[in-house]
């Protein structure tokens, strides 16, 4: 796992052809908007969260965020334990995000 600032996360994400964005916030938080193309997997769903992660392609690079960076850091550590090689935590979470945010469909 690597903690990245908003700037590092954005730059790396823009160049990464194997990038997948994961939002680990709650449904209520996601209702306020989501980073475009992010997959929503609520970390508070326990085993369902683990099951959803295990369905993901471990050869991809995962850019993970939450509200403030704490839960996404936990999610990245869980991903590492599950065998993911590249998980990047957005320091400061969506509170520090300066890019686009869209409503979830």
């Amino acid at each position: 796992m690597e903690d990245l600032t908003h700037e590092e996360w954005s730059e790396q994400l823009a160049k990464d052809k194997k990038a997948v964005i994961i939002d680990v916030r709650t449904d209520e938080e996601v209702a306020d908007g989501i980073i475009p193309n992010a997959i929503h997997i609520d970390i508070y769903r326990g085993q369902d969260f683990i099951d959803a992660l295990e369905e993901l392609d471990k050869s991809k690079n995962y850019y993970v965020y939450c509200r403030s960076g704490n839960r996404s850091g936990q999610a990245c550590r869980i991903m590492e334990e599950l065998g993911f090689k590249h998980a990047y935590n957005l320091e400061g979470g969506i509170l520090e995000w300066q890019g686009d945010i869209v409503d979830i469909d």
Side-chain angles (χ1 to χ4, degrees), residues 21-39:
I21 303 169
I22 299 178
D23 183 326
V24 299
R25 297 177 300 155
T26 64
D27 290 340
E28 293 79 21
E29 290 171 309
V30 167
D32 291 334
I34 192 168
I35 293 174
N37 303 312
I39 299 168

Side-chain angles (χ1 to χ4, degrees), residues 19-105:
V20 177
I21 303 169
I22 299 178
D23 183 326
V24 299
R25 297 177 300 155
T26 64
D27 290 340
E28 293 79 21
E29 290 171 309
V30 167
D32 291 334
I34 192 168
I35 293 174
N37 303 312
I39 299 168
H40 176 227
I41 310 174
D42 184 347
I43 194 171
Y44 288 145
R45 293 220 172 123
Q47 188 60 46
D48 287 343
F49 176 72
I50 303 293
D51 293 344
L53 291 179
E54 288 182 331
E55 292 178 15
L56 299 174
D57 181 348
K58 291 188 173 127
S59 71
K60 302 276 187 182
N61 302 323
Y62 292 92
Y63 294 80
V64 187
Y65 73 95
C66 64
R67 182 178 167 278
S68 66
N70 291 328
R71 285 173 285 169
S72 50
Q74 292 172 343
C76 287
R77 285 188 287 282
I78 291 168
M79 292 175 79
E80 282 185 337
E81 289 173 18
L82 294 173
F84 289 85
K85 301 279 188 245
H86 303 286
Y88 305 101
N89 179 38
L90 176 59
E91 287 181 343
I94 201 163
L95 293 175
E96 296 295 320
W97 181 248
Q98 298 167 16
D100 292 339
I101 294 177
V102 296
D103 290 334
I104 194 161
D105 297 327

Side-chain angles (χ1 to χ4, degrees), residues 7-19:
E7 191 172 278
E8 293 166 332
W9 206 76
S10 298
E11 286 176 10
Q12 193 166 312
L13 180 62
K15 295 185 266 183
D16 191 340
K17 297 198 184 318
K18 293 175 23 174

